[in-house]
């Protein structure tokens, strides 16, 4: 295990990553549900849901009824579409654990990208007003308890892609993209100020194709370009969960 400034980096072999990630989430669930009676969790799409495959083993020990589930990013497609991050999470995790459906905040899939981003931000503002989601005293952005972030081979996180102007967005909580370099092109996404207001963030990265971006973010790189993944810097704790392949160039 290595520690950077505020971050812990751990490299795992085989099933150990999924086992350790499930324990990490279960421990944070216990902490937040006992401290404030709620646990606000933001999911990514992609490989994240498979990496959470051991979480249902905590069926009887996690207070699932206290979970409030959000998405860091979502594709603007129907909830039944194969590209939907909601559908991925529903099939891979949410159908296996007793989270009340009213605590699962999917995007409104009947709206355009722009409208869906506005709508998601409005719903989050309502939950902030009800104190279900806390606020960062320093930035004023919503402070979720846990962000579960994946990373693409190009170093993107959520739907914040390298070189895209959305990476610089510093006012909106939720924004939209219509020209995502990775299909589907239309998506909504949390902005960096929201990601970085979080109390805890886990960056979970597996696979050889991700090794260069991991090297650029965590290694001694001569590449001066900061990939989006390197901009993840939560107010609270950041933990990297890497497999051997993703860490192979460190
Ligand atoms: O498109 C997306 O990609 C990223 C990374 O996905 P992965 O399969 O390479 O882990 C994901 O975190 C994001 O939520 C998703 O919309």
């Amino acid at each position: 295990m290595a520690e950077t400034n505020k971050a812990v980096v751990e490299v795992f072999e085989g099933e150990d990553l999924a086992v350790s990630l499930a324990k990490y989430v279960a421990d944070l669930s216990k902490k937040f549900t006992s401290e404030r009676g709620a646990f606000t969790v933001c999911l990514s799409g992609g490989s994240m849901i498979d990496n959470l495959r051991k979480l249902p083993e905590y069926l009887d020990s996690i207070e699932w009824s206290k979970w409030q589930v959000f998405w860091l990013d979502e594709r603007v497609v129907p909830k039944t579409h194969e590209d939907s991050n909601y559908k991925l999470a529903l099939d891979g995790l949410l159908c296996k654990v007793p989270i009340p459906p009213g605590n699962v905040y999917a995007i409104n899939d009947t709206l355009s990208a722009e409208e869906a981003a506005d709508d998601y931000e409005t719903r989050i503002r309502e939950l902030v007003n009800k104190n279900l989601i806390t606020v960062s005293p320093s930035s004023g952005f919503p402070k979720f308890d846990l962000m579960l972030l994946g990373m693409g081979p190009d170093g993107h996180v959520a739907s914040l892609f390298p070189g895209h102007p959305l990476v610089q967005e510093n006012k909106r909580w939720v924004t939209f993209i219509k020209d995502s370099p990775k299909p589907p092109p239309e998506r909504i996404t949390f902005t960096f100020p929201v990601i970085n207001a979080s109390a805890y963030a886990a960056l979970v990265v597996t696979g050889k194709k991700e090794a260069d971006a991991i090297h650029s973010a965590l290694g001694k790189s001569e590449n001066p370009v900061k990939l989006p993944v390197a901009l993840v810097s939560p107010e609270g704790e950041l933990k990297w969960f890497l497999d051997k392949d993703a860490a192979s160039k460190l």
Side-chain angles (χ1 to χ4, degrees):
M1 196 187 306
E3 278 198 36
T4 65
N5 275 353
K6 272 165 63 185
V8 173
V9 182
E10 220 171 325
V11 181
F12 297 92
E13 245 176 296
E15 281 298 276
D16 290 354
L17 186 149
V19 169
S20 177
L21 180 62
K23 182 175 182 321
Y24 168 85
V25 176
D27 287 349
L28 287 177
S29 172
K30 191 170 178 193
K31 168 183 159 62
F32 284 101
T33 54
S34 59
E35 277 175 15
R36 63 180 202 89
F39 184 41
T40 55
V41 185
C42 303
L43 299 176
S44 293
S47 53
M48 175 59 71
I49 300 303
D50 183 48
N51 286 327
L52 290 171
R53 63 188 172 277
K54 298 282 181 189
L55 201 50
E57 292 181 11
Y58 290 81
L59 195 63
D60 298 329
S61 55
I62 284 180
E63 277 200 90
W64 298 101
S65 63
K66 306 277 173 62
W67 277 44
Q68 306 286 334
V69 179
F70 302 84
W71 274 265
L72 272 136
D73 73 318
E74 179 57 288
R75 291 88 179 272
V76 182
V77 294
K79 282 194 201 72
T80 49
H81 194 282
E82 285 307 313
D83 285 336
S84 160
N85 283 346
Y86 167 82
K87 178 175 165 39
L88 187 72
L90 182 68
D91 295 347
L93 174 66
L94 302 177
C95 71
K96 300 175 183 166
V97 295
I99 301 172
N103 294 6
V104 176
Y105 300 89
I107 72 159
N108 183 334
D109 62 354
T110 65
L111 303 175
S112 68
E114 190 166 3
E115 291 165 341
D118 282 350
D119 176 71
Y120 210 57
E121 181 167 320
T122 302
R123 285 156 67 203
I124 291 171
R125 284 185 188 277
E126 286 165 4
L127 297 172
V128 164
N129 292 338
K130 290 182 186 162
N131 287 326
L132 191 64
I133 300 170
T134 57
V135 172
S136 158
S138 54
S139 71
F141 282 90
K143 187 177 183 77
F144 289 91
D145 299 329
L146 174 62
M147 297 266 171
L148 290 166
L149 294 129
M151 183 201 81
D154 59 355
H156 83 268
V157 292
S159 286
L160 299 164
F161 291 89
H164 197 282
L166 283 191
V167 170
Q168 317 301 334
E169 174 59 53
N170 61 10
K171 294 200 173 52
R172 294 293 311 260
W173 295 4
V174 184
T175 189
F176 65 96
I177 177 169
K178 288 190 157 185
D179 57 354
S180 162
K182 175 179 174 182
E186 300 204 0
R187 293 148 173 257
I188 73 165
T189 182
F190 281 178
T191 59
F192 267 119
V194 174
I195 293 172
N196 287 339
S198 56
Y200 287 83
L203 258 163
V204 184
V205 186
T206 54
K208 266 214 161 61
K209 282 190 284 176
E210 278 72 4
D212 283 328
I214 290 297
H215 177 253
S216 160
L218 290 175
K220 293 192 180 69
S221 174
E222 281 139 40
N223 177 5
V225 180
K226 265 212 163 187
L227 295 175
V229 69
L231 302 175
V232 176
S233 176
E235 284 175 13
E237 288 178 20
L238 171 61
K239 181 160 180 182
W240 295 74
F241 293 79
L242 305 178
D243 74 353
K244 290 242 165 199
D245 285 339
S248 58
K249 295 196 176 169
L250 288 181

